Amino acid sequence: MEIKILTKAEQDKYDKEILDMLIQGDAEFVPPLSARSSTTQSDLTGTANVNGGVLNYFNELKKQRILVATLEDKLIGFVSFKENFVNEKIGEESLPNIYISTLLVAPSGRGKALTSKMYETLFAEYQNANVFTRTWSTNEAHIKILSRFGFETLSVLENDRGNGIDTVYFKKGDKY
C-alpha cells in the first residue's frame, strides 16, 4: 500500500478513479454529495439534488490538495484538503492550518486502518499546522477516529443536516 500527497501535476492521473469513488460513495454522506454545491458549503439544510450532482462536488474538490492511498496502483482511498483555510468557524488566528474537506475509503480498503494511516501521513507532512475537519453527528466511526487522534470539538451546528443530525467541526493543534 502506498499513501502520498499528490503534486498538482499528479492529480489529473487520479481524476477518473476519484470521481468513480465519489459516485459510488455519494449516499454514504449526509447529505449526499450530489446534493451539495461545493466541498465547503456552509448551509447543509434543505439540500436536494443540485444540477450537476456529484460532478459539481468533484470539480470543487479538484481545486484542493489530494492525498491518495493506492494498492497495486488502484485507488482505495483519498483525502482532499485546503491549506490555510478560513471561514466563519475557522478564524485567521488558526493559521497555518489545513482543512480536510473529504475523506473516502473504497469498500475494498475498509477494515485496514486506512483512514488512520491517511491522517498520520497528513500529520507528518503538516506537523506545524492546525488541522480542521467537520462531519455529521451520526458518523460514529469517523468521530471515534478523530477522538483517538486528539481532535476536539470546535463547534456544533444543531440540526444542520436534518432533524437530529448536527454538523460537528473538529480541531487538532495548539494555535487556535
mmCIF file of all heavy atoms in Angstrom, residues 135-168:
data_model
loop_
_atom_site.group_PDB
_atom_site.id
_atom_site.type_symbol
_atom_site.label_atom_id
_atom_site.label_comp_id
_atom_site.label_asym_id
_atom_site.label_seq_id
_atom_site.Cartn_x
_atom_site.Cartn_y
_atom_site.Cartn_z
ATOM 1 N N THR A 135 -17.838 16.801 10.254
ATOM 2 C CA THR A 135 -18.608 15.628 9.868
ATOM 3 C C THR A 135 -19.990 15.758 10.484
ATOM 4 O O THR A 135 -20.295 16.749 11.148
ATOM 5 C CB THR A 135 -17.901 14.318 10.282
ATOM 6 O OG1 THR A 135 -18.530 13.219 9.629
ATOM 7 C CG2 THR A 135 -17.894 14.109 11.779
ATOM 8 N N TRP A 136 -20.809 14.770 10.280
ATOM 9 C CA TRP A 136 -22.149 14.792 10.857
ATOM 10 C C TRP A 136 -22.144 13.979 12.146
ATOM 11 O O TRP A 136 -21.362 13.051 12.332
ATOM 12 C CB TRP A 136 -23.193 14.301 9.861
ATOM 13 C CG TRP A 136 -22.933 12.929 9.292
ATOM 14 C CD1 TRP A 136 -23.451 11.744 9.732
ATOM 15 C CD2 TRP A 136 -22.097 12.608 8.182
ATOM 16 N NE1 TRP A 136 -22.987 10.701 8.974
ATOM 17 C CE2 TRP A 136 -22.146 11.202 8.005
ATOM 18 C CE3 TRP A 136 -21.301 13.355 7.308
ATOM 19 C CZ2 TRP A 136 -21.445 10.539 7.004
ATOM 20 C CZ3 TRP A 136 -20.600 12.682 6.320
ATOM 21 C CH2 TRP A 136 -20.684 11.307 6.175
ATOM 22 N N SER A 137 -23.033 14.348 13.046
ATOM 23 C CA SER A 137 -23.034 13.803 14.402
ATOM 24 C C SER A 137 -23.306 12.308 14.474
ATOM 25 O O SER A 137 -22.949 11.669 15.469
ATOM 26 C CB SER A 137 -24.056 14.549 15.262
ATOM 27 O OG SER A 137 -25.353 14.484 14.686
ATOM 28 N N THR A 138 -23.901 11.723 13.454
ATOM 29 C CA THR A 138 -24.177 10.284 13.469
ATOM 30 C C THR A 138 -23.084 9.475 12.772
ATOM 31 O O THR A 138 -23.218 8.260 12.639
ATOM 32 C CB THR A 138 -25.551 9.987 12.836
ATOM 33 O OG1 THR A 138 -25.564 10.498 11.497
ATOM 34 C CG2 THR A 138 -26.683 10.622 13.643
ATOM 35 N N ASN A 139 -22.007 10.125 12.362
ATOM 36 C CA ASN A 139 -20.887 9.433 11.717
ATOM 37 C C ASN A 139 -19.939 8.927 12.817
ATOM 38 O O ASN A 139 -18.813 9.399 12.974
ATOM 39 C CB ASN A 139 -20.175 10.381 10.750
ATOM 40 C CG ASN A 139 -19.160 9.687 9.881
ATOM 41 O OD1 ASN A 139 -18.865 8.512 10.047
ATOM 42 N ND2 ASN A 139 -18.604 10.431 8.941
ATOM 43 N N GLU A 140 -20.413 7.952 13.572
ATOM 44 C CA GLU A 140 -19.719 7.486 14.770
ATOM 45 C C GLU A 140 -18.326 6.925 14.489
ATOM 46 O O GLU A 140 -17.400 7.144 15.279
ATOM 47 C CB GLU A 140 -20.577 6.458 15.493
ATOM 48 C CG GLU A 140 -21.858 7.057 16.035
ATOM 49 C CD GLU A 140 -22.826 6.029 16.593
ATOM 50 O OE1 GLU A 140 -22.443 4.840 16.710
ATOM 51 O OE2 GLU A 140 -23.955 6.421 16.905
ATOM 52 N N ALA A 141 -18.158 6.209 13.390
ATOM 53 C CA ALA A 141 -16.844 5.620 13.091
ATOM 54 C C ALA A 141 -15.789 6.705 12.895
ATOM 55 O O ALA A 141 -14.678 6.609 13.425
ATOM 56 C CB ALA A 141 -16.942 4.722 11.856
ATOM 57 N N HIS A 142 -16.130 7.756 12.149
ATOM 58 C CA HIS A 142 -15.163 8.826 11.902
ATOM 59 C C HIS A 142 -14.903 9.618 13.184
ATOM 60 O O HIS A 142 -13.755 9.967 13.492
ATOM 61 C CB HIS A 142 -15.649 9.730 10.779
ATOM 62 C CG HIS A 142 -14.587 10.638 10.264
ATOM 63 N ND1 HIS A 142 -14.864 11.833 9.666
ATOM 64 C CD2 HIS A 142 -13.226 10.547 10.263
ATOM 65 C CE1 HIS A 142 -13.738 12.436 9.321
ATOM 66 N NE2 HIS A 142 -12.730 11.678 9.676
ATOM 67 N N ILE A 143 -15.942 9.893 13.941
ATOM 68 C CA ILE A 143 -15.780 10.642 15.195
ATOM 69 C C ILE A 143 -14.875 9.871 16.154
ATOM 70 O O ILE A 143 -14.038 10.464 16.844
ATOM 71 C CB ILE A 143 -17.149 10.973 15.810
ATOM 72 C CG1 ILE A 143 -17.868 11.995 14.914
ATOM 73 C CG2 ILE A 143 -17.004 11.493 17.233
ATOM 74 C CD1 ILE A 143 -19.319 12.257 15.273
ATOM 75 N N LYS A 144 -14.989 8.559 16.178
ATOM 76 C CA LYS A 144 -14.130 7.734 17.038
ATOM 77 C C LYS A 144 -12.666 7.878 16.623
ATOM 78 O O LYS A 144 -11.781 8.009 17.472
ATOM 79 C CB LYS A 144 -14.575 6.273 16.947
ATOM 80 C CG LYS A 144 -13.827 5.341 17.849
ATOM 81 C CD LYS A 144 -14.379 3.922 17.738
ATOM 82 C CE LYS A 144 -13.587 2.966 18.601
ATOM 83 N NZ LYS A 144 -14.112 1.599 18.500
ATOM 84 N N ILE A 145 -12.395 7.866 15.333
ATOM 85 C CA ILE A 145 -11.024 8.033 14.839
ATOM 86 C C ILE A 145 -10.498 9.420 15.195
ATOM 87 O O ILE A 145 -9.370 9.571 15.661
ATOM 88 C CB ILE A 145 -10.954 7.776 13.319
ATOM 89 C CG1 ILE A 145 -11.193 6.293 13.027
ATOM 90 C CG2 ILE A 145 -9.614 8.230 12.741
ATOM 91 C CD1 ILE A 145 -11.425 5.971 11.569
ATOM 92 N N LEU A 146 -11.325 10.448 14.985
ATOM 93 C CA LEU A 146 -10.906 11.809 15.311
ATOM 94 C C LEU A 146 -10.562 11.928 16.797
ATOM 95 O O LEU A 146 -9.547 12.526 17.165
ATOM 96 C CB LEU A 146 -11.999 12.809 14.927
ATOM 97 C CG LEU A 146 -12.272 12.941 13.429
ATOM 98 C CD1 LEU A 146 -13.498 13.826 13.190
ATOM 99 C CD2 LEU A 146 -11.066 13.469 12.682
ATOM 100 N N SER A 147 -11.376 11.342 17.632
ATOM 101 C CA SER A 147 -11.134 11.373 19.073
ATOM 102 C C SER A 147 -9.820 10.677 19.421
ATOM 103 O O SER A 147 -9.032 11.184 20.228
ATOM 104 C CB SER A 147 -12.302 10.702 19.802
ATOM 105 O OG SER A 147 -12.041 10.637 21.172
ATOM 106 N N ARG A 148 -9.569 9.544 18.795
ATOM 107 C CA ARG A 148 -8.334 8.794 19.044
ATOM 108 C C ARG A 148 -7.096 9.620 18.694
ATOM 109 O O ARG A 148 -6.052 9.505 19.327
ATOM 110 C CB ARG A 148 -8.369 7.483 18.262
ATOM 111 C CG ARG A 148 -7.317 6.499 18.684
ATOM 112 C CD ARG A 148 -7.499 5.094 18.134
ATOM 113 N NE ARG A 148 -7.604 5.048 16.691
ATOM 114 C CZ ARG A 148 -8.637 4.507 16.027
ATOM 115 N NH1 ARG A 148 -9.652 3.984 16.669
ATOM 116 N NH2 ARG A 148 -8.650 4.497 14.712
ATOM 117 N N PHE A 149 -7.215 10.479 17.684
ATOM 118 C CA PHE A 149 -6.089 11.327 17.283
ATOM 119 C C PHE A 149 -6.034 12.652 18.046
ATOM 120 O O PHE A 149 -5.210 13.505 17.745
ATOM 121 C CB PHE A 149 -6.136 11.601 15.785
ATOM 122 C CG PHE A 149 -5.551 10.496 14.946
ATOM 123 C CD1 PHE A 149 -6.344 9.781 14.072
ATOM 124 C CD2 PHE A 149 -4.207 10.161 15.035
ATOM 125 C CE1 PHE A 149 -5.812 8.759 13.302
ATOM 126 C CE2 PHE A 149 -3.663 9.145 14.271
ATOM 127 C CZ PHE A 149 -4.470 8.438 13.408
ATOM 128 N N GLY A 150 -6.912 12.842 19.002
ATOM 129 C CA GLY A 150 -6.851 14.038 19.828
ATOM 130 C C GLY A 150 -7.591 15.247 19.282
ATOM 131 O O GLY A 150 -7.394 16.363 19.752
ATOM 132 N N PHE A 151 -8.449 15.048 18.303
ATOM 133 C CA PHE A 151 -9.278 16.155 17.825
ATOM 134 C C PHE A 151 -10.262 16.543 18.913
ATOM 135 O O PHE A 151 -10.744 15.692 19.664
ATOM 136 C CB PHE A 151 -10.065 15.750 16.569
ATOM 137 C CG PHE A 151 -9.288 15.822 15.292
ATOM 138 C CD1 PHE A 151 -8.464 14.774 14.913
ATOM 139 C CD2 PHE A 151 -9.391 16.930 14.457
ATOM 140 C CE1 PHE A 151 -7.757 14.814 13.719
ATOM 141 C CE2 PHE A 151 -8.685 16.984 13.262
ATOM 142 C CZ PHE A 151 -7.869 15.919 12.895
ATOM 143 N N GLU A 152 -10.569 17.823 18.988
ATOM 144 C CA GLU A 152 -11.548 18.347 19.934
ATOM 145 C C GLU A 152 -12.664 19.021 19.163
ATOM 146 O O GLU A 152 -12.453 19.525 18.060
ATOM 147 C CB GLU A 152 -10.882 19.375 20.858
ATOM 148 C CG GLU A 152 -9.749 18.810 21.680
ATOM 149 C CD GLU A 152 -9.014 19.888 22.462
ATOM 150 O OE1 GLU A 152 -9.427 21.068 22.414
ATOM 151 O OE2 GLU A 152 -8.016 19.554 23.109
ATOM 152 N N THR A 153 -13.834 19.053 19.767
ATOM 153 C CA THR A 153 -14.972 19.721 19.137
ATOM 154 C C THR A 153 -14.737 21.225 19.134
ATOM 155 O O THR A 153 -14.442 21.820 20.176
ATOM 156 C CB THR A 153 -16.281 19.397 19.881
ATOM 157 O OG1 THR A 153 -16.479 17.984 19.847
ATOM 158 C CG2 THR A 153 -17.470 20.094 19.250
ATOM 159 N N LEU A 154 -14.847 21.832 17.983
ATOM 160 C CA LEU A 154 -14.728 23.274 17.826
ATOM 161 C C LEU A 154 -16.097 23.924 17.890
ATOM 162 O O LEU A 154 -16.292 24.937 18.546
ATOM 163 C CB LEU A 154 -14.051 23.605 16.490
ATOM 164 C CG LEU A 154 -13.964 25.069 16.089
ATOM 165 C CD1 LEU A 154 -13.054 25.829 17.051
ATOM 166 C CD2 LEU A 154 -13.447 25.196 14.664
ATOM 167 N N SER A 155 -17.074 23.323 17.189
ATOM 168 C CA SER A 155 -18.399 23.916 17.095
ATOM 169 C C SER A 155 -19.405 22.850 16.681
ATOM 170 O O SER A 155 -19.064 21.927 15.941
ATOM 171 C CB SER A 155 -18.378 25.044 16.052
ATOM 172 O OG SER A 155 -19.642 25.621 15.903
ATOM 173 N N VAL A 156 -20.632 22.992 17.164
ATOM 174 C CA VAL A 156 -21.714 22.091 16.783
ATOM 175 C C VAL A 156 -22.861 22.931 16.237
ATOM 176 O O VAL A 156 -23.320 23.872 16.899
ATOM 177 C CB VAL A 156 -22.207 21.256 17.988
ATOM 178 C CG1 VAL A 156 -23.398 20.381 17.592
ATOM 179 C CG2 VAL A 156 -21.078 20.412 18.563
ATOM 180 N N LEU A 157 -23.292 22.611 15.029
ATOM 181 C CA LEU A 157 -24.426 23.286 14.409
ATOM 182 C C LEU A 157 -25.610 22.326 14.468
ATOM 183 O O LEU A 157 -25.709 21.380 13.680
ATOM 184 C CB LEU A 157 -24.111 23.673 12.972
ATOM 185 C CG LEU A 157 -22.836 24.503 12.766
ATOM 186 C CD1 LEU A 157 -22.582 24.741 11.289
ATOM 187 C CD2 LEU A 157 -22.932 25.817 13.514
ATOM 188 N N GLU A 158 -26.495 22.556 15.424
ATOM 189 C CA GLU A 158 -27.600 21.630 15.664
ATOM 190 C C GLU A 158 -28.554 21.545 14.487
ATOM 191 O O GLU A 158 -28.902 22.573 13.880
ATOM 192 C CB GLU A 158 -28.353 22.038 16.927
ATOM 193 C CG GLU A 158 -27.534 21.833 18.188
ATOM 194 C CD GLU A 158 -28.323 22.111 19.452
ATOM 195 O OE1 GLU A 158 -29.566 22.161 19.406
ATOM 196 O OE2 GLU A 158 -27.675 22.274 20.496
ATOM 197 N N ASN A 159 -28.948 20.310 14.187
ATOM 198 C CA ASN A 159 -29.919 20.014 13.121
ATOM 199 C C ASN A 159 -29.516 20.594 11.768
ATOM 200 O O ASN A 159 -30.375 20.814 10.917
ATOM 201 C CB ASN A 159 -31.320 20.499 13.510
ATOM 202 C CG ASN A 159 -31.821 19.818 14.765
ATOM 203 O OD1 ASN A 159 -31.680 18.610 14.925
ATOM 204 N ND2 ASN A 159 -32.382 20.592 15.674
ATOM 205 N N ASP A 160 -28.246 20.810 11.577
ATOM 206 C CA ASP A 160 -27.745 21.435 10.354
ATOM 207 C C ASP A 160 -27.896 20.534 9.126
ATOM 208 O O ASP A 160 -27.934 21.015 8.009
ATOM 209 C CB ASP A 160 -26.265 21.814 10.545
ATOM 210 C CG ASP A 160 -25.695 22.622 9.408
ATOM 211 O OD1 ASP A 160 -26.312 23.636 9.042
ATOM 212 O OD2 ASP A 160 -24.635 22.234 8.881
ATOM 213 N N ARG A 161 -27.970 19.240 9.358
ATOM 214 C CA ARG A 161 -28.054 18.293 8.240
ATOM 215 C C ARG A 161 -29.378 17.532 8.253
ATOM 216 O O ARG A 161 -29.519 16.519 7.588
ATOM 217 C CB ARG A 161 -26.883 17.318 8.291
ATOM 218 C CG ARG A 161 -25.546 18.046 8.132
ATOM 219 C CD ARG A 161 -24.387 17.093 8.181
ATOM 220 N NE ARG A 161 -23.128 17.840 8.187
ATOM 221 C CZ ARG A 161 -22.126 17.565 7.394
ATOM 222 N NH1 ARG A 161 -22.187 16.595 6.528
ATOM 223 N NH2 ARG A 161 -21.017 18.267 7.477
ATOM 224 N N GLY A 162 -30.322 18.029 9.019
ATOM 225 C CA GLY A 162 -31.626 17.393 9.136
ATOM 226 C C GLY A 162 -31.991 17.255 10.602
ATOM 227 O O GLY A 162 -31.163 17.501 11.491
ATOM 228 N N ASN A 163 -33.203 16.860 10.850
ATOM 229 C CA ASN A 163 -33.681 16.730 12.223
ATOM 230 C C ASN A 163 -32.852 15.705 12.989
ATOM 231 O O ASN A 163 -32.783 14.541 12.605
ATOM 232 C CB ASN A 163 -35.159 16.326 12.226
ATOM 233 C CG ASN A 163 -35.770 16.457 13.601
ATOM 234 O OD1 ASN A 163 -35.282 17.215 14.430
ATOM 235 N ND2 ASN A 163 -36.830 15.714 13.851
ATOM 236 N N GLY A 164 -32.168 16.162 14.047
ATOM 237 C CA GLY A 164 -31.363 15.278 14.869
ATOM 238 C C GLY A 164 -29.981 14.969 14.323
ATOM 239 O O GLY A 164 -29.264 14.148 14.893
ATOM 240 N N ILE A 165 -29.588 15.619 13.233
ATOM 241 C CA ILE A 165 -28.261 15.383 12.656
ATOM 242 C C ILE A 165 -27.503 16.711 12.613
ATOM 243 O O ILE A 165 -27.813 17.592 11.817
ATOM 244 C CB ILE A 165 -28.341 14.759 11.251
ATOM 245 C CG1 ILE A 165 -29.187 13.483 11.279
ATOM 246 C CG2 ILE A 165 -26.940 14.456 10.725
ATOM 247 C CD1 ILE A 165 -29.447 12.884 9.926
ATOM 248 N N ASP A 166 -26.536 16.836 13.501
ATOM 249 C CA ASP A 166 -25.763 18.065 13.634
ATOM 250 C C ASP A 166 -24.516 18.021 12.751
ATOM 251 O O ASP A 166 -24.005 16.950 12.433
ATOM 252 C CB ASP A 166 -25.294 18.245 15.083
ATOM 253 C CG ASP A 166 -26.427 18.159 16.101
ATOM 254 O OD1 ASP A 166 -27.578 18.479 15.741
ATOM 255 O OD2 ASP A 166 -26.143 17.769 17.249
ATOM 256 N N THR A 167 -24.023 19.207 12.399
ATOM 257 C CA THR A 167 -22.688 19.324 11.813
ATOM 258 C C THR A 167 -21.736 19.599 12.962
ATOM 259 O O THR A 167 -21.983 20.485 13.781
ATOM 260 C CB THR A 167 -22.619 20.464 10.783
ATOM 261 O OG1 THR A 167 -23.443 20.130 9.663
ATOM 262 C CG2 THR A 167 -21.196 20.697 10.306
ATOM 263 N N VAL A 168 -20.646 18.834 13.034
ATOM 264 C CA VAL A 168 -19.671 18.999 14.100
ATOM 265 C C VAL A 168 -18.323 19.344 13.471
ATOM 266 O O VAL A 168 -17.804 18.595 12.644
ATOM 267 C CB VAL A 168 -19.540 17.719 14.957
ATOM 268 C CG1 VAL A 168 -18.600 17.967 16.141
ATOM 269 C CG2 VAL A 168 -20.904 17.230 15.442
#
